[in-house]
Amino acid sequence: MSNWHSFQALGRFFLFDVLSNSLFEINETVHQYLQGQPIAEEYRKDVEADLDELRQMGYLKEEPEAEVELERDATLKALCLHISHDCNLRCRYCFAGTGPFGGAREQMSFEVGKAAIDMLLAQSGNRRQLEVDFFGGEPLLNWDVVKQVVEYGEKTAPQYGKDIHFTLTTNGVALSPEIREYLNQKQIAVVLSLDGRPEVNDRMRGACYERIVPNYLALIKERGNQNYYVRGTFTKHNLDFTEDVKHMYSLGFRELSVEPVVSDEGDYRLTEADLARIKAEYDRLAEYYLEKRLGDDPFTFFHFEVSLDHGPCLPKRLTGCGAGFDYFAVTPSGELYPCHQFVGRTAFKMGNVFEGIQNEALRQEFGSATLYKKEGCAQCWSRFYCSGGCHANAEALNGSIYKPDHLGCELQRKRLECALALKGILMQDAEANK
């Protein structure tokens, strides 16, 4: 049943009610009953009475919810500026083809960056808080233009009554003291690429660990260990990625994310045969996360941070990230694509920063691509957290934004089970220690 989900995690049993976003801890007998497994007759009456009580309270509804038709204003909220289509590393799994996204190795000019800022400000409607991400390739290879765009945005946004929040993703090779000082002074959030243990990182990213880790540690120390996160990628070669999280924690990093590689080729790609191993590893990671959260020096892990009190807004729950509708990627020449992962897929070119969005039909298609229109999503218990999954991964692996990646779905559900169990246990602990 897609309106509720019974599962086991961290040695306990839970029941998640999808429509109310409510979590209950249950015993093994109730879990077995909900899973359709036989239970002793002496317990059946009590189990059924408890579940009936929940139904009378409005939980565990059998009927599907009515499909929601979204009415969304076509205004911009964020741009991803491909400030550089070149890179000083050659990571094996890079979806950008080591920087140029299948095209030429080139840098964005300030003219293009300025036009992107102007478009964002002019087409953001009543939105006050806007976002600009510097991406690549490696953005620090075009550092002068990064600074020019930041300073232009800082000067121009107040004229529109808006604030622009900047983020920069870097591999850390060129993260000099001068650049760190500027990033900190301007309070620019940073995403730091690191896969974990030296041998794991250097296998896929080249021999860069010894060069980049000191730069990262200096940066987070200078900014008080905040306004950053370290993002890694795990592949078939490090299915024990909990050890990589532990390693990064031991270095002093406290804002972490490790993502599964997305690829349909290469000896590092993930397959259905890896699923059981990966799910078991998420269990290990959840145990380590809980240990640290119950201790004096916790860390955050992106996929385990969920809220049962304040979830995302309705459009985000139904459509996900907003790619192709209110969020676009900008290439060095100024072309617009739905997001950074679509860049280079010419069928998804949507306009340019000088003339604006020209393919409005495609924009409306992305804007209306709710989970109800995606294959299998309306029947999935995790639908309001997954929101139908990544458009780009679905199109790359299955040829359609309406056909989610099955492997990605399996991993999403497992991570959400761990996240919900952690949330429940931590809430109980907080209540007990009041």
Side-chain angles (χ1 to χ4, degrees):
M1 168 56 64
S2 62
N3 287 346
W4 50 263
H5 178 62
S6 171
F7 63 98
Q8 179 181 6
L10 293 163
R12 305 190 191 190
F13 297 91
F14 298 90
L15 173 60
F16 177 61
D17 185 73
V18 174
L19 299 184
S20 67
N21 200 41
S22 300
L23 183 69
F24 305 91
E25 185 168 359
I26 58 178
N27 61 37
E28 184 174 6
T29 302
V30 175
H31 173 70
Q32 290 173 335
Y33 178 87
L34 291 170
Q35 294 292 314
Q37 300 172 11
I39 64 171
E41 284 300 320
E42 61 187 292
Y43 302 128
R44 182 177 297 275
K45 185 175 180 179
D46 288 341
V47 169
E48 291 177 344
D50 289 342
L51 294 175
D52 283 341
E53 183 178 351
L54 284 177
R55 292 187 183 98
Q56 291 169 15
M57 296 169 63
Y59 302 110
L60 309 184
K61 293 180 179 179
E62 298 292 329
E63 67 276 6
E65 79 272 16
E67 182 174 328
V68 178
E69 290 292 337
L70 288 177
E71 294 185 7
R72 307 172 66 190
D73 292 331
T75 56
L76 295 180
K77 69 175 182 182
L79 292 177
C80 178
L81 302 189
H82 285 222
I83 205 78
S84 172
H85 268 193
D86 199 359
C87 190
N88 42 15
L89 293 181
R90 295 292 183 265
C91 304
R92 292 177 59 198
Y93 51 46
C94 180
F95 63 78
T98 70
F101 289 81
R105 296 189 182 275
E106 55 183 338
Q107 311 292 345
M108 180 179 288
S109 67
F110 173 60
E111 179 187 17
V112 170
K114 176 179 179 295
I117 295 293
D118 289 340
M119 185 181 77
L120 177 63
L121 293 171
Q123 298 185 25
S124 52
N126 293 325
R127 298 177 189 270
R128 178 175 174 83
Q129 304 299 325
L130 306 175
E131 297 179 15
V132 170
D133 302 329
F134 295 110
F135 200 72
E138 172 50 47
L140 298 188
L141 294 182
N142 196 11
W143 178 240
D144 287 342
V145 173
V146 169
K147 291 190 295 183
Q148 288 177 303
V149 171
V150 168
E151 286 155 21
Y152 179 74
E154 286 182 333
K155 179 183 71 175
T156 311
Q159 300 171 19
Y160 290 78
K162 299 177 185 291
D163 296 316
I164 300 177
H165 302 271
F166 293 98
T167 300
L168 182 141
T169 298
T170 179
N171 62 33
V173 172
L175 197 57
S176 66
E178 294 75 20
I179 290 175
R180 299 198 307 265
E181 181 180 10
Y182 186 89
L183 292 171
N184 292 335
Q185 176 195 352
K186 297 295 185 179
Q187 298 183 327
I188 297 174
V190 289
V191 180
L192 309 173
S193 297
L194 178 69
D195 286 350
R197 293 161 289 179
E199 65 275 15
V200 168
N201 181 83
D202 289 355
R203 178 169 190 163
M204 300 302 294
R205 302 183 63 80
C208 66
Y209 179 96
E210 295 296 336
R211 286 188 288 167
I212 64 177
V213 168
N215 294 340
Y216 291 165
L217 293 175
L219 175 70
I220 67 167
K221 181 180 180 181
E222 291 158 359
R223 60 175 50 199
N225 212 345
Q226 59 185 352
N227 204 23
Y228 79 97
Y229 79 90
V230 177
R231 186 204 183 281
T233 299
F234 74 84
T235 72
K236 187 186 290 286
H237 298 310
N238 64 311
L239 297 180
D240 60 343
F241 51 85
T242 299
E243 298 305 314
D244 294 298
V245 172
K246 289 181 177 180
H247 176 76
M248 291 189 286
Y249 179 91
S250 73
L251 292 173
F253 301 120
R254 294 296 179 266
E255 305 290 332
L256 302 174
S257 175
V258 178
E259 310 286 336
V261 68
V262 178
S263 176
D264 59 357
E265 59 184 24
D267 61 356
Y268 52 82
R269 70 187 180 100
L270 305 175
T271 68
E272 297 283 335
D274 301 313
L275 262 179
R277 177 69 183 83
I278 297 172
K279 289 181 178 182
E281 195 62 21
Y282 277 122
D283 285 330
R284 286 188 65 221
L285 180 55
E287 291 171 358
Y288 179 69
Y289 176 94
L290 181 61
E291 172 193 333
K292 295 301 181 183
R293 283 298 299 267
L294 293 176
D296 298 327
D297 192 9
F299 70 97
T300 65
F301 182 74
F302 177 78
H303 291 294
F304 290 167
E305 310 304 319
V306 299
S307 174
L308 296 173
D309 301 317
H310 306 287
C313 62
L314 183 62
K316 189 168 181 64
R317 282 184 178 272
L318 298 185
T319 62
C321 67
F325 186 77
D326 52 25
Y327 164 81
F328 294 89
V330 182
T331 69
S333 62
E335 294 174 340
L336 297 169
Y337 284 86
C339 80
H340 60 286
Q341 291 198 69
F342 275 104
V343 170
R345 305 182 203 178
T346 55
F348 291 91
K349 190 184 302 182
M350 301 186 71
N352 62 74
V353 293
F354 301 105
E355 299 172 294
I357 298 161
Q358 297 169 315
N359 194 337
E360 283 291 346
L362 185 57
R363 184 182 195 181
Q364 292 305 316
E365 182 177 355
F366 273 95
S368 62
T370 66
L371 61 88
Y372 300 112
K373 297 179 181 178
K374 295 191 173 185
E375 192 174 282
C377 291
Q379 293 75 46
C380 178
W381 69 268
S382 70
R383 58 188 178 274
F384 295 130
Y385 282 90
C386 176
S387 308
C390 173
H391 296 314
N393 290 349
E395 197 279 330
L397 297 175
N398 294 324
S400 170
I401 65 173
Y402 299 103
K403 294 183 179 180
D405 168 37
H406 170 70
L407 184 63
C409 292
E410 288 284 341
L411 299 184
Q412 163 66 21
R413 285 189 284 264
K414 179 59 186 179
R415 290 192 298 257
L416 184 54
E417 285 182 346
C418 291
L420 290 170
L422 287 164
K423 186 67 175 181
I425 293 170
L426 291 170
M427 289 175 68
Q428 289 177 343
D429 180 74
E431 187 67 26
N433 287 300
K434 276 186 177 180

